[in-house]
Amino acid sequence: MARVLVTGSADGLGQMAARLMVAAKHRVVLHARNGERASEAMAAVPGSETAVVGDLSSIRETSDVADQVNGLGAFDAIIHNAGIGYRERRRVETVDGLPHVFAVNTLSTYVLTALINKPKRLVYLSSGMHRGGDSSLRDLVWKERPWNGSNAYADTKLHDVILAFAVARKWPDVLSNALEPGWVPTKMGGPGAPDDLDEAPRTQVWLATSEEPGAKVSGQYFFHMKRRAAEPAASTASIQDRLLAECARLSGVPFP
């Protein structure tokens, strides 16, 4: 059985994925942004092993989450599920002076990838909106552009695919893939979202734990356990390297 960390698993798709894996007898470690949420997550996913705690909008706390995870020993897979949505009407600034949506959706994912000891598999949650992201990677922190919450979200979901593909290229011993769960009626997606909520967590669980040949690939993008074409820019090595370099500069954490 696999040992899997799921970030952002206090509710939504992360919690749903954790429940599926516990039901399949996998060992699951949860993550929540504070102690209260961690207790709620543990109660909501009975049978989970433990929870790590930290606010991923903070570089310092994200680094601490990585330390907590490394202190627990080896993992077979990490599902980078934590994220915030596209409805921020203004540029909300974090303790590090970064846009909230970028700090959580892009930079924390990079920092955790760089600092947590390599698992066998990495799974990154993206969105179909990644195709509308800005592949130029200019003004990542929205200091020059007028704020647009939807565009900022799309940018970060493109970053997640770029990161998944960069890791696949640089770490051939790790299976690294990205996926879109669909537009589903979660807290992020909203009550009117049309896609199947029951199907939404299954692809990340499959990529993290399945021994099927279709799941044991790297550098691919999925929707409902089937490969789907991603934005072509995400496969460009120079774009991958630029994102890694910018994330290293902004976080102070070099890519290993």
Side-chain angles (χ1 to χ4, degrees):
M1 292 294 103
R3 191 183 195 210
V4 186
L5 168 71
V6 188
T7 69
S9 42
D11 58 18
L13 296 182
Q15 186 183 104
M16 292 174 71
R19 284 176 174 164
L20 287 174
M21 289 187 289
V22 168
K25 308 301 183 187
H26 296 294
R27 298 170 64 195
V28 178
V29 173
L30 308 175
H31 157 262
R33 66 176 176 265
N34 57 45
E36 181 182 357
R37 295 275 286 170
S39 296
E40 292 170 358
M42 292 288 290
V45 190
S48 51
E49 188 176 317
T50 189
V52 295
V53 178
D55 184 343
L56 300 186
S57 70
S58 158
I59 294 169
R60 181 187 61 78
E61 290 199 37
T62 302
S63 299
D64 185 59
V65 168
D67 289 342
Q68 292 172 56
V69 174
N70 288 335
L72 294 172
F75 281 80
D76 294 292
I78 296 173
I79 299 176
H80 289 287
N81 167 83
I84 53 176
Y86 49 86
R87 293 189 177 91
E88 293 192 342
R89 295 181 178 178
R90 59 183 179 84
R91 184 185 183 276
V92 178
E93 197 162 281
T94 69
V95 292
D96 302 302
L98 301 170
H100 188 218
V101 66
F102 173 81
V104 174
N105 293 8
T106 300
L107 199 62
S108 77
T109 306
Y110 165 84
V111 170
L112 293 176
T113 299
L115 293 182
I116 293 175
N117 298 330
K118 282 185 192 177
K120 295 173 185 174
R121 308 188 196 193
L122 286 162
V123 181
Y124 297 85
L125 263 74
S126 181
S127 161
M129 288 177 69
H130 87 272
R131 294 177 183 83
D134 181 4
S135 62
S136 76
L137 305 183
R138 286 191 293 267
D139 193 26
L140 290 175
V141 297
W142 289 81
K143 285 284 183 69
E144 298 161 16
R145 292 181 282 175
W147 178 257
N148 181 299
S150 179
N151 291 350
Y153 175 79
D155 286 358
T156 64
K157 294 292 99 180
L158 175 59
H159 301 160
D160 289 337
V161 184
I162 294 170
L163 181 57
F165 290 2
V167 170
R169 176 170 64 92
K170 290 180 173 289
W171 292 352
D173 54 333
V174 176
L175 302 180
S176 176
N177 296 287
L179 66 104
E180 59 182 85
W183 182 14
V184 290
T186 58
K187 183 170 66 177
M188 184 187 296
D195 286 337
D196 187 342
L197 183 60
D198 184 59
E199 283 295 322
R202 297 186 183 279
T203 302
Q204 48 267 43
V205 171
W206 179 69
L207 287 170
T209 64
S210 176
E211 292 300 316
E212 293 178 15
K216 298 186 74 173
V217 298
S218 196
Q220 301 296 326
Y221 186 82
F222 288 86
F223 175 67
H224 289 184
M225 297 194 292
K226 291 183 171 58
R227 293 191 196 184
R228 174 172 279 192
E231 170 58 38
S235 298
T236 303
S238 60
I239 292 175
Q240 295 170 4
D241 290 343
R242 181 170 178 199
L243 181 65
L244 294 179
E246 284 298 293
C247 286
R249 180 182 67 82
L250 290 166
S251 66
V253 176
F255 189 80

